[in-house]
Structure formats: C-alpha cells, structure tokens
Amino acid sequence: MKWTWVLVTVLLSFGGLSRCKESLDFPEYDGKDRVHDLNAKNYKSVMKKYDVMVVYYHDHPGSSRVAQRQFEIEELTLELAAQVLDEFDDEDIGVGVIDAKLDKVVAKKLGLEESDSIFIFTDDEVIEYDGELAADTIVEFIYDVLDDPVEFIDNSRELKGFENIEEDIKLVGYFKSHKSEHFEAFADAAEEFHPHIKFFATFSPKVAKALEMKLNEVDFYEPFIDDPVVIPGKPYSEDELVKFIEDNDRPTLRKLQPHNMYEIWDDDSEGEHIIAFAEESDPDGFEFLEILKEVAEDNTDNPDLSIVWIDPDDFPLLLPHWEKIFGIDLSFPQIGVVDTGDADSVWMDMGDGDDMPSVDELEDWIEDALSDDENDDDTDDDDDDY
C-alpha cells in the first residue's frame, strides 16, 4: 500500500480529535522525540516495552531531497501521533519506523512484506492500517483497535446508536448470555475482522424484539441499507460466520473515508471504480446521495455493482487535484467510472447540478458506462481531454 495517491500536504492536515485531554483540538507537536528507529539491535527490547506497537515500514528515502523531505514530514506526523498516544492511560503504546533497505532483516522477522505501510502489533495480532498518513486518523484508528471487538446493546439508547450507524458494515447477534457457545463463536469471528467491521451483540429480549431477531440469529447490514440479511444456518460456527462475511464484504455503496481509503481504492472491479462525489451537508449533494442509496437498495443483490461515495468535505486538500485529473467541477455532485491504473474516466453529464437524475436514469447510465462499447468510446474521448 502506497501513500502516493494523497498529496503531501495532506500529511500536515490535522483535524480535531475529541479524545485529547486538554483540548478538543489536536495538539501541536511539543518537540520531544518519541518515535523509535527500530533495527536488529533494539527492536526486540523496544517492542517488549509496549502493550501495543505501531510500526511504519517505509521505503528508504535515498539521496533525493524531495524524498528526504517527504520522509521528514511523515516522521513529524508519527511524532505527533506518538505524543497523543503517550497520554493514553490504559495501554502503553509505542511508535517505531523500519527502513526497508537498512533494516530488511527486522522486517522479515516481523513478517512485514509491503513497504510504505503501517502495522499495529497487539497481543498476537498484526493489523495493517490502510488509511491516510495523518496523525488524527492514525490515532483514531488505534483507539478503535483497542476497543473490544464486540459492542453490546443493552437498552433503547444503545439501540438508537446502533441504528444510526449507516456508513459501515455491521453485524448484530442475539444470544442467551456471554457464556453461550454461540456467542463465543460470534466473538471469535469478530476478532478476525476487528476493527474494520463492526460487531454488536445483545442478550436483551426487548432489544431482540425491536430488531425482529430470534435467539442465536446474526444479521448482516450493508452500509446505507436499512434491511439486514439474516445469515442462514443458525446457530453458526466461527468458520461459517467468517466465510459469509468474506463472501459479502464488498458493499453496493460504500464511503471512502480517511481511515480506509487505500483498502477501498485497492478493491476495484476489473481495474475500475464507480466514483460518486456528493457533499452531504449541501442540499444538492444530500439529494444525490439519497438517489445513490436507492440505487444501492435496488441492486444490493448484484455482486458486480459497487459504488464508492466520496464526500468532498472529508478531503478538502485533494479537491483541486481531483478536479484537475478528472476534469470535473466538484462544486456540485458528480458520478463517473474511473480507471484505477491511469485515472482515465467517463462522467455522467450532470449539467449544473440543479436537476438530479432519477434512480432509473442513474441505473441506466451506470449500466451503459460499464459496457464494453461505452468504455471503448469514452476512452477515446478521454485521451483528447487529458
């Protein structure tokens, strides 16, 4: 996984973080060095000191001044993350870097294969982080890692919170108690996907009734789809749950977010993505997003359709870059098919954004745009534009 898709300036874009102790704003770097340079002599002793270790396995910057400057920015990002993590009371969290050229023996011993990647070592697990290299996003992801893999729904307030989660894949199971063997299988499956997929459980008959669930049932929710899929064959083994999730973990509509951007970008369909830009806080963007949700609802059983929604508000520094390479105006909603290799693209004519397409019109356009003839015609046009 490479960081090159994001502009270098994004590395310095630190947002707010509610877990900081003294302020609601992300703090400034205090100048203290906390990031360890891991090598063959010290990596065992350093990693033994911490309950959790965050490791950035990076390419060697070499003699290029640009590469050296970029690595300095990356180190500063990690130092700021380490400063915030240093204040976490429940776990000792360390941050280190491994040079892919100078310390490849260490990387091999730790099982690290893909450089320019961040890995989180906790207990016996190694979790790869596939988000943007920004301090606030890294810290939030690590807090998610430290949360329990299963969250419990005990009352109506917690049920409301569960129902308000719509941007992520989520599962919920109804079990007799913590000691139930069926809950244990569910919890074991949750560990396999933590923290990327959200798992919830309830032991409350009232909550189960509100969710219309039967004992030992597990429901699977796609992002932005109100009605869940009841996983067939209850009660389930861990392997059965894992297999079902792996077979259904490519949602019809999903949101590109700072913490998962590379994971989603790498998960294309035959080298292409259907990309939709819509600003949720804008009336036109909200209307278009509602249309996208209806398209997703209509096509939830189509394994070949997956739309990636990008809210421009989440990536303000990337907007000029995207407008330039795609030749579009992101002041109003857009949808297009993008080649992930060379960024060639074809976009629906949205006019000035005042008249939104109907659900049927959007579905017809997507079908046409993905057809071989349409792609061939538009590729020729794109060559003239870029």
Side-chain angles (χ1 to χ4, degrees):
M1 182 267 291
K2 302 293 183 181
W3 305 110
T4 51
W5 191 48
V6 180
L7 300 177
V8 172
T9 50
V10 174
L11 302 177
L12 294 178
S13 61
F14 305 132
L17 185 66
S18 61
R19 297 207 190 198
C20 295
K21 292 187 174 182
E22 297 179 0
S23 169
L24 291 177
D25 296 326
F26 210 88
E28 295 182 359
Y29 177 46
D30 63 7
K32 180 179 178 181
D33 292 336
R34 295 177 175 85
V35 176
H36 301 273
D37 186 0
L38 301 178
N39 54 55
K41 292 183 178 180
N42 71 1
Y43 83 96
K44 288 184 178 179
S45 60
V46 171
M47 295 183 72
K48 191 175 181 180
K49 288 171 54 179
Y50 297 99
D51 301 310
V52 176
M53 191 73 194
V54 182
V55 176
Y56 177 34
Y57 179 39
H58 65 91
D59 286 332
H60 182 67
S63 58
S64 167
R65 296 185 68 178
V66 173
Q68 289 175 355
R69 176 56 181 157
Q70 179 167 333
F71 181 63
E72 289 174 0
I73 294 173
E74 294 168 352
E75 277 196 306
L76 176 60
T77 301
L78 294 173
E79 287 287 3
L80 186 51
Q83 175 181 326
V84 176
L85 293 169
D86 196 31
E87 298 181 356
F88 191 65
D89 293 331
D90 295 341
E91 305 275 356
D92 290 327
I93 305 171
V95 180
V97 294
I98 296 178
D99 190 298
K101 178 181 178 180
L102 303 180
D103 302 304
K104 55 185 177 182
V105 174
V106 177
K108 184 176 180 179
K109 289 185 176 181
L110 292 176
L112 310 184
E113 296 180 355
E114 188 174 12
S115 60
D116 273 1
S117 297
I118 289 177
F119 300 90
I120 297 101
F121 291 77
T122 173
D123 296 328
D124 296 326
E125 279 193 291
V126 181
I127 298 170
E128 185 172 359
Y129 168 73
D130 280 321
E132 110 184 313
L133 188 51
D136 56 340
T137 311
I138 293 171
V139 170
E140 288 176 353
F141 182 82
I142 292 168
Y143 284 146
D144 287 340
V145 168
L146 297 176
D147 283 340
D148 292 332
V150 179
E151 187 172 340
F152 299 104
I153 307 173
D154 296 324
N155 52 54
S156 58
R157 178 181 56 81
E158 292 170 349
L159 177 60
K160 185 66 174 177
F162 166 81
E163 293 172 338
N164 286 338
I165 297 172
E166 65 169 3
E167 297 176 356
D168 304 290
I169 293 176
K170 60 184 180 182
L171 292 90
V172 59
Y174 171 40
F175 307 99
K176 186 176 181 179
S177 71
H178 289 80
K179 297 180 179 179
S180 164
E181 62 178 312
H182 308 305
F183 169 72
E184 290 176 357
F186 181 77
D188 289 341
E191 291 181 358
E192 293 291 321
F193 298 97
H194 181 68
H196 304 289
I197 294 179
K198 298 183 181 299
F199 282 71
F200 296 82
T202 187
F203 310 115
S204 165
K206 290 184 179 179
V207 172
K209 183 178 180 180
L211 291 170
E212 300 181 353
M213 298 185 68
K214 297 179 180 179
L215 189 64
N216 297 324
E217 178 183 312
V218 174
D219 289 354
F220 179 94
Y221 289 78
E222 270 197 41
F224 308 107
I225 304 296
D226 292 332
D227 296 325
V229 173
V230 179
I231 299 179
K234 72 177 181 72
Y236 325 91
S237 67
E238 176 190 351
D239 290 342
E240 288 170 336
L241 288 170
V242 169
K243 185 178 187 309
F244 182 90
I245 296 167
E246 289 176 342
D247 290 344
N248 294 273
D249 67 350
R250 196 166 190 267
T252 310
L253 176 62
R254 49 190 167 163
K255 184 180 182 183
L256 188 81
Q257 300 179 74
H259 71 270
N260 66 13
M261 57 193 302
Y262 294 102
E263 177 187 6
I264 287 181
W265 193 250
D266 288 343
D267 182 28
D268 55 57
S269 178
E270 298 182 354
E272 293 179 327
H273 272 305
I274 302 172
I275 301 293
F277 289 97
E279 186 178 337
E280 190 173 17
S281 62
D282 174 76
D284 288 339
F286 181 83
E287 180 183 351
F288 188 58
L289 181 57
E290 292 302 303
I291 296 170
L292 288 174
K293 291 178 183 180
E294 288 191 51
V295 171
E297 193 85 50
D298 289 347
N299 294 273
T300 185
D301 294 327
N302 182 356
D304 299 321
L305 180 62
S306 182
I307 303 170
V308 176
W309 165 42
I310 301 177
D311 190 328
D313 281 346
D314 292 337
F315 303 95
L317 296 176
L318 280 171
L319 298 191
H321 173 66
W322 283 330
E323 289 184 325
K324 180 179 179 181
I325 65 170
F326 296 141
I328 56 176
D329 182 356
L330 292 179
S331 64
F332 53 85
Q334 301 280 0
I335 186 167
V337 179
V338 177
D339 187 299
T340 57
D342 56 17
D344 276 350
S345 58
V346 54
W347 297 85
M348 186 177 189
D349 184 3
M350 300 284 287
D352 57 6
D354 289 337
D355 296 322
M356 294 294 137
S358 68
V359 171
D360 289 340
E361 288 171 338
L362 189 54
E363 289 178 344
D364 289 343
W365 184 89
I366 291 172
E367 183 178 350
D368 289 342
L370 291 177
S371 68
D372 291 338
D373 291 341
E374 186 77 5
N375 278 330
D376 289 343
D377 293 342
D378 286 303
T379 300
D380 293 339
D381 293 340
D382 290 342
D383 288 342
D384 296 333
D385 294 336
Y386 296 111

